[in-house]
Amino acid sequence: MRWAAGYFFVAPALLLIAVFFVFPVFSAFLLSFTDFDIYSLGNIEYLRFVGIDNYINLFGNSRFWTALGNTFYFVAVGGPLSVLVSLGAALLINSKLVRLKTLFRTVYFLPVVTTLVAVAVMWRYLYHPRYGLLNFALSGIGIEPIDWLGDPFWAMPAIILMAAWKNFGYNMIIFLAGLQSIPDSLYEAARVDGANRWHQFRYVTLPMLAPTFLFVGIITMIGYFQLFAEPYVMTQGGPSNATLSVVLFMYEEGFRWWNLGNAAAIAFVLFVIILAVTLLQLRLQRER
Amino acid sequence: MDRVVRLVIYALLFLGLVVTATPLLWMVSASFMGSGEASTYPPRLLPSAATLDHYVALFSRLNLGRYAFNSALLATAITLVSLFLNSMAGYAFAKLRFTGRDRIFKALLAALVIPVQVTMLPLFLMLKQMGLVNTYWGVLIPGMANIFGIFLIRQYALSIPDSLLDAARIDGASEFRIYWSLVLPLCKPILVTLALFTFMGAWNDFMWPLIVLTDDSMYTLPVALANLLGEHVLDTELMMAGSVLTILPVTMLFIVLQRSYVEGIMMGSLKD
């Protein structure tokens, strides 16, 4: 009786996940070996299996390499930046010398709950080379106006900055939980041994935060590889493809040009990369 | 020494406060400025005379009420349905015995690493086949159950004592009744948290609604906003009013229920 009950309770959710998540994943894999395009969309009889042609074409496509390079740039610079800002904010708020902790925490967290599209629209204006608040603030310390979203060199840094502003509050909360779980007795023991602030941080706080770092690192990395709305809203992948991300490239191939076979191949390459980097991070952590 | 350190810490914290809050405050302020006022040099921080013109224009000319309705309807429906299905599954994974339970659960967790974009292309074709592209169902269906929600409920339900459930069984309560009148009330804190997560996630979601909703009248707020930007990119104040309206509901919800939200993040980050 209780056996049947277990299946009865999980069945609806599992069925939905199987049909609308697992099945599409396998279908996407098959799709990536076909030439599914706008003609097949009209009449499925035009569909042909093309083996690994989509992947070969992809690896010969310079736009794909640009998108991949940009995405790695965003992950490799933006990821660590946002994690470090999160850690810094958590350390400051967690300090015993600070009051008004809730106020700081709440305000720091606000950007996380806001709608990405809306704040991306707002940042477009903040980044305006002439009227934007950011260049005005920078001119106060003598920095010449920067064409943040119009200059291929600055466009990706601009998106990275905006993403750090939007996201750091989330990891900050996780770091705060990690910091609060470190027993005071460890710090006391370190102080008895003559450890100063830096030593306490280096030899107590950091090692104790290692599992938190792993978790934060993995979820941030997975999220950052899926960069889409920021370039879609702020730059449309420009200027001269400087902010074209893998997911934006997939969206354009799949839903603008209806090359669904190609787009599926792009999606799978992204999946394999995310999987590989996740496993690598887990492995590195274990070795340490 | 402590006094200097304290001063430095507060200085950094206030700097953080300014950097975090200024963009949002400017967004609100600019939304009340007269047309063109947000595009001046040096930039204005406050409107010379506050006006509601842009808000009025959004509702009267630009159909914003319709988009807000779509967003609210979809986010509410996704929240209610997924809360029901995820809580049933999460409870079963925590407390009911059935063959393959732990193996299925592990497989679900492993699937969390799959980026959702992989599913979007076939999902679109499936929904097209079913005639559900450009309908509310197209947005609702993929959101009706999700692995993270099941995981969160399971972690919480693990702490329910078996003796309590067994006592109810001895009293002759059916399994569904036990779930409905015993487990759900006990899980209330995590249900509130998950409801909040789900509602905000659905409200803020962009890529899937952008793909599956093709007709203007079906757009959710984020899709409408991105679309509006195409034509009104020079109307800074109007775009800021639209942005304010889009983030207002979720921000208010967070401020009222932030305890539940923050606790949920911490729970989600705990490994089992």
Side-chain angles (χ1 to χ4, degrees), chain A residues 36-57:
Chain A
F36 203 113
D37 57 14
I38 195 156
Y39 302 107
S40 328
L41 203 57
N43 185 345
I44 199 75
E45 280 169 26
Y46 290 117
L47 185 71
R48 282 183 310 128
F49 268 87
V50 293
I52 57 168
D53 279 8
N54 288 332
Y55 291 92
I56 293 173
N57 291 337

Side-chain angles (χ1 to χ4, degrees), chain A residues 45 55 96 172 233 277:
Chain A
E45 280 169 26
Y55 291 92
K96 289 200 172 53
M172 174 191 78
V233 172
V277 181

Side-chain angles (χ1 to χ4, degrees), chain B residues 207-228:
Chain B
M207 191 170 174
W208 182 247
L210 175 74
I211 289 169
V212 86
L213 301 175
T214 49
D215 196 54
D216 184 83
S217 67
M218 297 298 292
Y219 284 175
T220 57
L221 279 171
V223 179
L225 203 60
N227 189 49
L228 206 61

